[in-house]
């Protein structure tokens, strides 16, 4: 449920009917996922799917080899410990120290989850009482809205503003009420590709401290930042460790999105609460994959640097192609995604644009307005995934060129 104006949500394609459905009322607006809808559209129109964010090449063979060996040797084939195998919790703690200088106690301050997704939902369910407000920037990753509804909370969106889609700190401050309990942030940010600067994070932190908020910081794309837009965990700022749950994703960091190994770390009181919920959701998962992701977290810096360079080259390829077409490209600073403004091509509406290019060019992208409560602000923007092989990106650009400028 959202806090201010309730807007009818325009879902363009295949919706699930909730008439006569036993689905609880608070989940009805989440009956369909934008990613499933747009993937259906891609299948129906035989499109290249630049909508859903997963790489079309697997991560390092040596990580896959660890998983394979674990399965063969019987390591992790039975229920692993509920908070995660000690090897992975130690690796998460060592990784936090190595990259960010954060000391994390692997016994009390870490929990392994079924992807970053379960860490996010467990944290929301752990902290939100009926009617508590969660403030977040929009557009958002769609599971945030569903998670807040599951927890029976109220979502309050603060649009990323201006031509660069940056956090509007005054609007954020104005959105906080006495009922606000959690600030949910995400940087590097999906879908915009924005990476929050130190100054932006400091301003957000100051509000969280002043208003005594818990911060859930979704850092699934922590290693996917480009150029000099280095990712800074908000938990490293003064006064923030004690109020922040930091969330990571083995799937995003190592290009094994199907394995769904994620984690949360933070102070013991917050992580203990997350653990209580999480043990009653999936309880445990992915035993052999946990050992494999532990191996990945210990890989040399070269892996992380080359991964970023490889993705930033793909970003450059898609940026050049979409700019050439006449779209307004917002430079992507991180994630798998870049955002374009469709107005230079004569469209006002990203959803109409996406439907059009699926039919005319056989390429699918995601309109921001399906990831936002404020369609007026989000309408001109469309998200494109560039985590695909160069030949796929080139083919998409060629199709768009002949489809849009025949
Ligand atoms: C911002 C963000 N957070 C979390 C996730 C989920 O990560 P995982 O696959 O590890 O559950 C995604 C996946 O797309 C994402 O984009």
């Amino acid at each position: 449920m959202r806090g201010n104006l309730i807007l009818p949500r325009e879902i363009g394609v295949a919706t699930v009917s909730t008439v006569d459905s036993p689905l609880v009322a608070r989940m009805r607006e989440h009956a369909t996922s934008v990613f499933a809808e747009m993937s259906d559209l891609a299948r129906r129109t035989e499109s290249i799917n630049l909508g859903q964010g997963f790489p079309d090449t697997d991560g390092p063979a040596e990580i896959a080899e660890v998983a394979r060996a674990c399965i063969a040797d019987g390591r992790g084939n039975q229920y692993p410990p509920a908070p995660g195998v000690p090897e992975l919790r130690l690796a998460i703690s060592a990784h936090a120290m190595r990259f960010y200088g954060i000391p994390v106690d692997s016994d009390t301050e870490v929990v392994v989850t079924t992807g970053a997704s379960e860490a996010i939902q467990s944290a929301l369910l752990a902290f939100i009482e009926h009617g508590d407000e969660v403030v977040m920037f929009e557009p958002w990753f769609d599971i945030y809205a569903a998670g807040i509804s599951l927890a029976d909370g109220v979502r309050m969106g603060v649009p990323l503003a201006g031509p660069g889609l940056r956090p509007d700190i005054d609007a954020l401050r104005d959105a906080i009420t006495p009922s606000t309990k959690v600030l949910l942030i995400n940087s590097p940010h999906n879908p915009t590709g924005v990476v929050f600067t130190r100054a932006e994070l400091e301003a957000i932190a100051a509000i969280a401290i002043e208003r005594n908020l818990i911060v859930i910081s979704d850092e699934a794309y922590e290693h996917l930042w480009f150029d000099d837009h280095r990712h800074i965990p908000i938990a490293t700022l003064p006064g923030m460790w004690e109020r922040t749950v930091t969330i990571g994703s083995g799937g995003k960091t190592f290009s094994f999105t199907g394995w769904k190994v994620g984690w949360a770390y933070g102070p013991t009181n917050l992580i203990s609460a997350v653990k209580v919920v999480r043990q009653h959701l999936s309880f445990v998962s992915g035993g052999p994959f946990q050992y494999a992701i532990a191996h990945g977290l210990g890989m040399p810096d070269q892996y992380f640097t080359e991964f970023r360079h490889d993705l930033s080259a793909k970003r450059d390829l898609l940026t050049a192609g979409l700019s050439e077409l006449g779209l307004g490209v917002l430079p992507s600073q991180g994630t798998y995604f870049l955002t374009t403004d469709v107005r230079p091509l004569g469209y006002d509406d990203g959803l109409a644009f996406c439907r059009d290019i699926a039919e005319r060019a056989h390429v699918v992208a995601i309109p921001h307005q399906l990831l936002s409560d404020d369609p007026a602000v989000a309408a001109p923007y469309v998200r494109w995934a560039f985590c695909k092989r160069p030949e796929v990106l080139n083919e998409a650009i060629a199709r768009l060129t002949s489809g849009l400028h025949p």
Side-chain angles (χ1 to χ4, degrees):
M1 183 178 124
R2 75 179 296 246
N4 33 16
L5 191 64
I6 308 278
L7 294 159
R9 192 160 145 84
E10 190 197 355
I11 306 269
V13 265
T15 53
V16 170
S17 167
T18 51
V19 178
D20 299 329
S21 161
L23 184 67
V24 291
R26 67 182 186 280
M27 290 307 290
R28 290 193 182 167
E29 65 168 317
H30 310 292
T32 53
S33 136
V34 52
F35 301 108
E37 287 171 19
M38 297 315 274
S39 292
D40 279 351
L41 180 63
R43 267 189 296 278
R44 193 168 55 72
T45 54
E46 297 182 3
S47 289
I48 294 179
N49 189 352
L50 300 186
Q52 206 162 11
F54 60 87
D56 60 358
T57 44
D58 284 348
E62 67 181 82
I63 299 183
E65 191 44 51
V66 174
R68 212 175 274 123
C70 284
I71 293 169
D73 299 346
R75 288 183 85 207
N77 288 339
Q78 307 305 328
Y79 296 135
V85 300
E87 287 82 349
L88 178 54
R89 285 185 281 115
L90 279 166
I92 291 164
S93 149
H95 168 271
M97 176 53 86
R98 170 178 158 201
F99 284 94
Y100 311 120
I102 312 177
V104 177
D105 183 322
S106 66
D107 285 330
T108 59
E109 296 178 329
V110 182
V111 59
V112 173
T113 54
T114 304
S117 307
E118 192 189 35
I120 295 161
Q121 306 303 39
S122 301
L124 288 168
L125 288 164
F127 303 141
I128 296 302
E129 300 277 13
H130 165 76
D132 284 344
E133 291 172 6
V134 179
V135 172
M136 59 188 177
F137 291 107
E138 63 176 63
W140 18 252
F141 176 43
D142 68 338
I143 71 164
Y144 300 165
I148 295 165
S149 298
L150 277 175
D152 211 6
V154 177
R155 69 176 185 267
M156 304 294 287
V158 178
L160 291 169
L165 299 181
R166 308 296 315 182
D168 178 339
I169 300 302
D170 291 332
L172 177 64
R173 192 177 295 107
D174 290 347
I176 312 287
T177 76
S179 300
T180 308
K181 180 131 184 232
V182 165
L183 189 53
L184 171 49
I185 65 168
N186 167 224
S187 178
H189 184 263
N190 171 14
T192 59
V194 162
V195 178
F196 294 179
T197 63
R198 181 173 291 278
E200 287 165 344
L201 289 166
E202 283 171 352
I204 294 168
I207 294 172
I209 292 168
E210 186 194 315
R211 305 304 294 267
N212 196 25
L213 305 177
I214 296 172
V215 174
I216 301 175
S217 183
D218 176 1
E219 303 181 12
Y221 298 98
E222 64 187 307
H223 286 289
L224 299 182
W225 52 270
F226 311 129
D227 313 317
D228 54 354
H229 303 287
R230 180 179 285 277
H231 167 65
I232 302 168
I234 197 165
T236 60
L237 302 183
M240 289 307 292
W241 165 259
E242 47 271 48
R243 62 181 65 253
T244 304
V245 171
T246 304
I247 290 170
S249 166
K252 303 292 186 193
T253 297
F254 299 108
S255 303
F256 287 112
T257 58
W259 291 6
K260 297 296 279 188
V261 176
W263 54 85
Y265 61 80
T268 305
N269 62 329
L270 297 185
I271 293 301
S272 302
V274 175
K275 281 181 182 171
V276 168
V277 172
R278 195 272 165 164
Q279 71 182 336
H280 297 296
L281 295 178
S282 70
F283 171 47
V284 293
S285 63
F289 299 127
Q290 292 192 27
Y291 293 105
I293 295 295
H295 176 87
L297 287 170
M299 282 173 67
D301 290 353
Q302 189 189 355
Y303 162 72
F304 297 92
T305 311
E306 283 176 3
F307 183 36
R308 287 192 290 107
H309 288 169
D310 175 61
L311 260 170
S312 61
K314 291 172 175 166
R315 171 205 59 174
D316 293 344
L317 180 61
L318 191 61
T319 299
L322 296 180
S323 306
E324 189 79 4
L325 277 168
L327 286 160
V329 181
L330 272 75
S332 170
Q333 303 174 337
T335 72
Y336 288 157
F337 310 111
L338 65 79
T339 287
T340 56
D341 184 338
V342 297
R343 285 171 294 193
L345 288 189
Y347 293 82
D348 294 325
D349 180 307
L351 181 57
F353 173 84
C354 288
R355 286 200 190 119
D356 221 23
I357 60 166
E359 301 294 343
R360 284 167 61 185
H362 304 285
V363 175
V364 158
I366 299 276
H368 278 204
Q369 72 221 70
L370 297 187
L371 302 169
S372 180
D373 279 318
D374 195 341
V377 176
Y381 299 108
V382 166
R383 183 194 91 169
W384 309 76
F386 51 76
C387 47
K388 308 291 175 189
R389 284 164 293 140
E391 55 271 33
V392 174
L393 297 175
N394 280 325
E395 171 64 17
I397 294 162
R399 289 185 183 192
L400 286 163
T401 308
S402 52
L404 284 170
H405 302 303

